[in-house]
Amino acid sequence: MTSRIAVVGTDPSFYSELDADVDSPLLVEALRLRGVEAEAVSWHDDSVDWSGVDLAVLRSPWDYPLDPEGFSRWLARVGEATTVLNPPALVRWNMDKRHLAQLALAGVPVVPTTYHEDEASLQEALGAADAEHVVVKPAVGAGSLHTGLFAREDPALLGPARAILGGGGTVLLQPEVPELSEGVEKAVYLVDGRVTHAISKGALLARGGGLRGGVYQEHPELVEVSAAEAALAEQVVAATGAVTGAPLPLYARIDMVDSAAFGLVLLEAELFEPTFNLHLVPEVVEILAEAVLARA
């Protein structure tokens, strides 16, 4: 019997020319070449009969921060009808960046981060910070929405912070890591817990708020993975399992930076919507397709 696999993203109109889903078409093609009935679908598409799908592989539902509660309800509904990877419970945990605090407690070196539910708490943390520049970002977000790099005393940082708090969200406050502004952040990718490749995507945030060039645009370049970086990526995946009780994820992207101030630290663990930049690593298309088939 032929397996039916849905590679899940969002509506095509959401993707921009500068920030397109380059992965899903390659994965769909690789699955079809293996005799699978595979197609790319939007999580918004109510016409999909999920009970007729053997496996739903989340790849690019990048608009979920616009309706996180709706996305969570969709996960629950589809999770009852078929197998979703990565699993809905893990995805819901990963949606909220406050999971960084749990990973830190589990022994993962994490960039220093404080979490704020109100402006008074944020102002207190800003007053105590010893960094000249800081980053504010939402606990639930993607694509640098409401994220900015500001001088610590710049009142403009309250703009995105108030937008986050006004929507009922939590503000994350982090010191600027100079190496990030120099574009040396590294994203390390894993399939079934094994490192496959890494990219450097360049600096994104402009000082004073906003994005470099005015739009969200990564500039991915393949880079080598050191033994220490691979070990940190594997540590994060293991700690995620220990914290959540979830099984080994099908895939993961672990964002990190080797900094003078803090050493090699985790920036973010992406467990349900990371761009894999498969167009740069055709061999990883095959690895991921085989891993998907093994889970079907």
Side-chain angles (χ1 to χ4, degrees):
M1 182 176 177
T2 302
S3 295
R4 185 182 179 204
I5 296 177
V7 177
V8 183
T10 189
D11 291 331
S13 60
F14 179 81
Y15 306 118
S16 71
E17 185 176 335
L18 297 177
D19 190 27
D21 178 5
V22 297
D23 291 343
S24 293
L26 296 173
L27 179 57
V28 167
E29 180 184 13
L31 290 170
R32 287 176 175 172
L33 288 173
R34 287 163 169 78
V36 173
E37 184 183 340
E39 61 178 329
V41 301
S42 167
W43 70 275
H44 297 284
D45 188 348
D46 292 331
S47 69
V48 177
D49 176 12
W50 293 103
S51 64
V53 172
D54 297 295
L55 179 62
V57 181
L58 294 171
R59 289 305 307 123
S60 56
W62 294 336
D63 61 344
Y64 79 90
L66 303 179
D67 185 14
E69 292 184 1
F71 183 62
S72 185
R73 289 193 299 270
W74 177 87
L75 284 170
R77 176 168 57 85
V78 176
E80 292 178 353
T82 188
T83 300
V84 181
L85 294 177
N86 285 324
L90 180 61
V91 172
R92 281 190 287 268
W93 176 83
N94 191 227
M95 283 171 62
D96 191 324
K97 293 180 178 64
R98 284 177 291 185
H99 66 253
L100 291 173
Q102 293 177 279
L103 292 175
L105 288 173
V108 174
V110 175
V111 64
T113 306
T114 55
Y115 308 86
H116 306 281
E117 312 285 346
D118 55 64
E119 189 171 326
S121 168
L122 176 62
Q123 293 277 23
E124 182 179 353
L126 286 168
D130 58 6
E132 292 186 10
H133 290 80
V134 295
V135 173
V136 293
K137 63 176 65 173
V140 178
S144 295
L145 180 67
H146 297 321
T147 297
L149 170 62
F150 300 92
R152 179 172 57 87
E153 298 180 352
D154 185 350
L157 68 80
L158 293 177
R162 286 169 175 163
I164 296 165
L165 295 172
T170 298
V171 175
L172 273 63
L173 181 68
Q174 299 170 333
E176 179 191 26
V177 178
E179 289 83 359
L180 289 181
S181 299
E182 295 166 6
V184 298
E185 175 182 351
K186 189 172 289 190
V188 178
Y189 297 87
L190 304 95
V191 175
D192 280 337
R194 296 184 178 182
V195 172
T196 57
H197 63 294
I199 63 116
S200 173
K201 59 186 178 182
L204 297 173
L205 300 180
R207 282 186 172 179
L211 298 164
R212 297 193 181 194
V215 294
Y216 185 90
Q217 184 179 15
E218 296 183 1
H219 300 276
E221 296 182 6
L222 282 176
V223 290
E224 296 294 322
V225 184
S226 72
E229 290 162 346
L232 176 57
E234 292 165 357
Q235 179 188 5
V236 173
V237 170
T240 295
V243 167
T244 66
L248 183 71
L250 170 67
Y251 59 81
R253 188 189 81 197
I254 309 302
D255 296 342
M256 62 184 70
V257 66
D258 195 356
S259 66
F262 311 113
L264 181 63
V265 290
L266 171 68
L267 300 170
E268 193 165 344
E270 293 280 8
L271 301 175
F272 70 98
E273 43 87 25
T275 299
F276 251 63
N277 291 289
L278 293 176
H279 61 300
L280 300 179
V281 280
E283 68 278 9
V284 179
V285 179
E286 309 305 316
I287 293 171
L288 183 56
E290 290 294 335
V292 169
L293 283 181
R295 303 285 189 107

